[in-house]
Amino acid sequence: MTDLSLTQRLDAGPVICAEGFLFELERRGYLTAGEFVPEVALEHPDALATLHRDFQRAGSDIVEAFTYNGHREKMRVIGKEDLLEPLNRAALRIARQVADEKPGNLVAGNISNSNFWDPADEASQREVRSIFEEMVGWAVEEGADIIIGETFYYAGEALTALEVAKSSGLPVVLTLAPMAFQEMAEGAGIVETAQRLEQEGADVVGLNCFRGPDTLLPWLEKIREAVSCHVGALPIPYRTTEAEPTFFNLSDPGARVPSPHGRTFPTALDPLRGNRYELREFAQTAYGLGVNYLGVCCGASPADIREVAEAVGLTTEASRFSENMANHFMYGTNERLPEHVKGLGARA
């Protein structure tokens, strides 16, 4: 536990939050692409704890319980609804264990886009509310310090998530994920939705996922100007563009073997990834705008989180291994490096 609240910490300086567990655990072989259900919390808890620690060492101040897609309807889809509560509690306890290893870290309970919210169907809305209520309830019982609601592309669902999360009495981070149509899915404005979230009591509002630095930043600037609360920014590390603003529609015409499902998302995005220096530049720019809640979402690696942390002046445990090209055999400056080998660099 920490003596400072989330808002107090943000008032004092940057707070780093790692997200993107889905992609990273799928790459590591602990999660099924397509389903993207966090069964790892039950089946391979050590692997999940290791990933949390890797992000923690890289500078993440928040250990976010991996319950994304761990909600009742998703568990019904895969035929494992009976594992719902055990999965949620296991993820929360793993997050608590890892956070307690580093004094000052916060544990976040997590709720997110349900993928079945229907603005025209009150029954679906009631079901989503019920899902949020039970997940937030478990988070409170397991000792979460804050609640993160993330990746909402319906304004109505985001506002419902905020209402339920605020009922916990804990600080709430609420981030939106607009799709390519440049508004919320039911037609609400992106900036206007962020303003409503602030008015309804969110401690942090902002954007996460779906968009890379280049297509997230313009909206981030508008939100920062429009709200007075703290703002969060957690882009994906892929090179989205004005023509292809989200990773759902990124194309890769150079792929010799395209993905069998017809899109690069989610399993053929690798060649479209930006580099760590682009994330560093994004973090510096966002921080310069007054955005103190920073991270990286789907596609994030611990090295990316370290870049974000170091970009805003923080030194992390993993900074012990930050790059030092002065000792590189081909283009370093160390006096022990032989000139004839360094000379090969021009034609390597």
Side-chain angles (χ1 to χ4, degrees):
M1 302 290 286
T2 176
D3 293 332
L4 293 178
S5 70
L6 175 64
T7 301
Q8 289 171 322
R9 293 186 64 166
L10 288 165
D11 288 344
V15 172
I16 309 301
C17 180
E19 292 186 344
F21 309 123
L22 284 176
F23 276 29
E24 184 64 18
L25 284 163
E26 193 275 334
R27 276 196 295 259
R28 296 185 183 195
Y30 295 103
L31 195 140
T32 301
E35 292 180 357
F36 286 125
V37 178
E39 295 176 87
V40 62
L42 291 173
E43 295 186 358
H44 297 282
D46 289 347
L48 178 54
T50 295
L51 179 59
H52 279 316
R53 289 190 183 98
D54 287 348
F55 280 128
Q56 183 185 60
R57 289 187 67 258
S60 185
D61 301 298
I62 297 172
V63 183
E64 184 174 351
F66 185 30
T67 57
Y68 186 96
N69 273 350
H71 60 74
R72 187 169 296 278
E73 180 59 24
K74 192 69 172 181
M75 299 301 282
R76 287 171 179 158
V77 168
I78 66 169
K80 296 183 179 180
E81 188 179 357
D82 60 310
L83 297 179
L84 172 67
E85 184 174 348
L87 185 153
N88 274 261
R89 290 192 184 276
L92 286 156
R93 289 169 185 171
I94 292 167
R96 179 82 269 165
Q97 173 192 347
V98 174
D100 285 348
E101 294 169 1
K102 185 173 183 181
N105 269 194
L106 297 168
V107 171
N110 175 254
I111 55 176
S112 57
N113 53 310
S114 66
N115 293 330
F116 72 95
W117 173 275
D118 185 345
D121 181 5
E122 292 185 2
S124 82
Q125 295 171 27
R126 287 193 297 270
E127 179 68 13
V128 172
R129 177 182 290 273
S130 175
I131 281 171
F132 292 157
E133 288 172 345
E134 61 187 358
M135 294 180 76
V136 168
W138 293 324
V140 171
E141 289 174 7
E142 296 295 340
D145 300 305
I146 66 174
I147 303 295
I148 294 175
E150 46 131 330
T151 322
F152 291 106
Y153 46 89
Y154 279 107
E157 187 174 31
L159 288 161
T160 299
L162 174 61
E163 182 182 347
V164 174
K166 287 294 291 183
S167 71
S168 70
L170 298 174
V172 178
V173 176
L174 212 300
T175 50
L176 306 172
M179 291 187 176
F181 32 80
Q182 311 291 25
E183 61 184 5
M184 303 307 290
E186 71 269 61
I190 296 169
V191 175
E192 291 74 16
T193 301
Q195 290 175 311
R196 282 202 60 192
L197 291 168
E198 179 188 23
Q199 292 161 7
E200 296 298 324
D203 296 276
V204 180
V205 302
L207 302 170
N208 81 294
C209 212
F210 293 9
R211 294 167 179 263
D214 288 352
T215 57
L216 188 141
L217 188 59
W219 287 108
L220 184 68
E221 291 175 325
K222 294 175 182 178
I223 290 172
R224 178 63 284 176
E225 292 174 358
V227 302
S228 57
C229 65
H230 283 289
V231 173
L234 302 94
I236 57 170
Y238 301 100
R239 289 175 176 155
T240 54
T241 66
E242 186 174 349
E244 298 177 337
T246 73
F247 62 3
F248 296 121
N249 43 54
L250 279 178
S251 60
D252 183 12
R256 188 176 63 82
V257 181
S259 68
H261 49 270
R263 294 192 183 196
T264 60
F265 176 86
T267 50
L269 288 165
D270 307 57
L272 308 173
R273 202 180 190 284
N275 64 44
R276 63 185 66 186
Y277 310 108
E278 291 165 345
L279 285 172
R280 174 180 281 265
E281 180 185 66
F282 171 84
Q284 289 172 332
T285 301
Y287 188 52
L289 294 172
V291 175
N292 279 14
Y293 186 99
L294 295 160
V296 186
C297 204
C298 289
S301 71
D304 296 329
I305 295 300
R306 182 180 64 192
E307 286 295 326
V308 168
E310 293 181 347
V312 296
L314 301 174
T315 299
T316 76
E317 288 182 63
S319 294
R320 155 72 176 83
F321 298 104
S322 293
E323 69 178 65
N324 180 11
M325 294 302 170
N327 288 330
H328 191 274
F329 80 98
M330 189 170 287
Y331 45 83
T333 56
N334 190 301
E335 62 182 13
R336 293 193 59 83
L337 299 175
E339 292 298 325
H340 72 281
V341 174
K342 290 170 62 176
L344 298 174
R347 53 195 181 95

